[in-house]
């Protein structure tokens, strides 16, 4: 339980609203499926500015245009009722308002300021890490989670946040220590710490150990949000693929990764990333691409997040939706890194592997700008490596054919 959060004041006239906010904090930090309890808070006290801000954030984490539109009235209500709020609440409200306008960097700065002044505010720390990860701000992630972890009390959640930041920054051994401490405090309600430990074990080239650990705690994921549930199973599927167990990885795609909440962006990119890696290793996807494409085709003009859009582009091309893929590629070309990757994906899909490799090569050292975790970004590294290998085989094959004809 995030007990320290209970001691932070909440501006409301309604004890039930405060209780709902506390319950929301616990669900958010434990990646539970009950975050919608925040809407009970605003129903109990329609002038509770912090409740409205948190409700807006729930919609913004969907990373869609619809989510932004649904967040907007809650942001307006939060700003309308901000006058009597504490400085901590005001910082959070202004941060979520900036997030709603698409200004994630300002949102990060404001949330980091909240954590600096109130390091027990793990809701602010969690939202900040979500945005830092989206922006590829690993140094900032270390700073924010470090402030929270420095005053960690009895919940363990800050330790898990810091473990993940440490792993992303390349400090795998230290990440393991923090993750294990978090899990010792909270064995079954901190899937983010479990996820951080798996990341660190994989970074230390211990896939068998990571697989065994994730299986040992998988029973605790049934209470999780669809993202956390499918994401941890996604990691297990990638481990199976790394160990050469293609059939097991495909079974996890069908049984665990795809199908929980098909309309949710994070679930979609888990499925897309796994299916594409399976296909690169020779697994035939059958009708699976068409199924995913049904849910993402309408996202072509969203433009909310380039990292997501690149995954959508893969699906559009694999499902034969070339017109939509062309439109999305043009939108992605507004950004140097995303645009280069989009062009490379187009070339790869057309089996022009030499061009795909040449297009990706100059931006391979800038993939962190896309956001996402290091394991998620490995998808684009895999496309580059596969393009190089396939173009080499094409060159050898062409040379053999030339000499055969010449002879």
């Amino acid at each position: 339980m995030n007990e320290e959060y209970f001691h932070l004041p909440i501006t409301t006239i309604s004890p039930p609203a405060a209780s709902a906010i506390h319950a929301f904090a616990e669900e958010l930090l434990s990646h539970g499926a009950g975050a919608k309890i925040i809407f009970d808070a605003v129903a109990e006290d329609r002038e509770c500015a912090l409740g409205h801000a948190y409700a807006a954030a729930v919609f913004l984490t969907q990373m869609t245009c619809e989510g932004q539109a649904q967040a907007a009235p809650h942001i307006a209500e939060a700003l309308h009722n901000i006058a009597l709020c504490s400085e901590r609440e005001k910082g959070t409200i202004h941060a979520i308002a900036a997030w709603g306008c698409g200004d994630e960097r300002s949102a990060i700065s404001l949330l980091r300021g909240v954590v600096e002044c109130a390091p027990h505010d793990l809701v602010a720390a969690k939202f900040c890490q979500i945005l830092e990860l989206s922006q590829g701000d690993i140094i900032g992630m270390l700073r924010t989670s470090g402030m929270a972890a420095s005053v960690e009390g009895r919940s363990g959640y800050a330790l898990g946040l810091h473990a993940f930041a440490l792993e992303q920054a390349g400090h795998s051994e230290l990440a393991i220590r923090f993750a294990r401490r978090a899990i010792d405090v909270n064995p079954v309600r901190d899937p983010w710490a479990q996820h951080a430990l798996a990341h660190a074990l994989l970074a230390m080239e211990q896939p068998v150990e990571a697989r065994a650990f994730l299986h040992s705690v998988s029973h605790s994921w049934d209470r999780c949000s669809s993202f956390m549930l499918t994401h941890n199973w996604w990691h297990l599927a990638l481990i199976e693929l790394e160990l050469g167990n293609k059939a097991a990885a495909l079974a996890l795609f069908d049984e665990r990764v795809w199908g929980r909440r098909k309309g949710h962006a994070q679930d979609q990119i888990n499925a897309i990333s796994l299916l594409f890696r399976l296909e690169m290793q020779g697994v035939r996807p059958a009708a699976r691409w068409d199924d995913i494409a049904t849910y993402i085709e309408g996202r072509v003009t969203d433009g909310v997040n380039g990292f997501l859009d690149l995954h959508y582009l893969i699906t559009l091309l694999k499902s034969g939706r070339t017109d939509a893929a062309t439109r999305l590629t043009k939108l992605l070309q507004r950004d140097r890194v995303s645009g280069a990757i989009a062009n490379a994906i187009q070339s790869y899909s057309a089996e022009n592997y030499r061009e795909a490799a040449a297009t990706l090569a100059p931006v391979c050292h800038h993939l962190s700008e896309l956001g996402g975790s290091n394991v998620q970004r490995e998808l684009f590294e895999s496309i580059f490596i596969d393009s190089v290998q396939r173009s080499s085989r094409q060159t050898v094959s062409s040379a053999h054919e030339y000499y055969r004809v010449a002879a």
Side-chain angles (χ1 to χ4, degrees), residues 284-362:
R284 294 185 178 182
R288 293 177 179 88
W289 283 123
D290 280 330
D291 185 26
I292 301 172
T294 300
Y295 293 89
I296 62 92
E297 191 171 12
R299 303 284 179 219
V300 171
T301 58
D302 269 16
V304 173
N305 184 282
F307 181 73
L308 298 183
D309 286 342
L310 288 168
H311 286 74
Y312 298 157
L313 177 61
I314 290 169
T315 306
L316 294 171
L317 289 167
K318 288 293 181 181
S319 62
R321 292 161 167 80
T322 54
D323 289 344
T326 300
R327 294 199 303 274
L328 182 53
T329 299
K330 288 180 179 178
L331 291 174
L332 284 163
Q333 286 170 345
R334 297 172 183 174
D335 176 80
R336 181 179 67 89
V337 176
S338 295
I341 296 170
N343 290 336
I345 291 170
Q346 286 273 10
S347 297
Y348 184 93
S349 178
E351 299 185 2
N352 190 342
Y353 302 117
R354 182 181 296 277
E355 184 175 321
T359 305
L360 270 172

Side-chain angles (χ1 to χ4, degrees), residues 89-107:
E89 292 172 308
K90 288 178 180 177
T92 297
I93 292 164
H94 285 303
I96 292 172
W99 185 2
C101 293
D103 187 358
E104 293 189 355
R105 293 193 180 278
S106 292

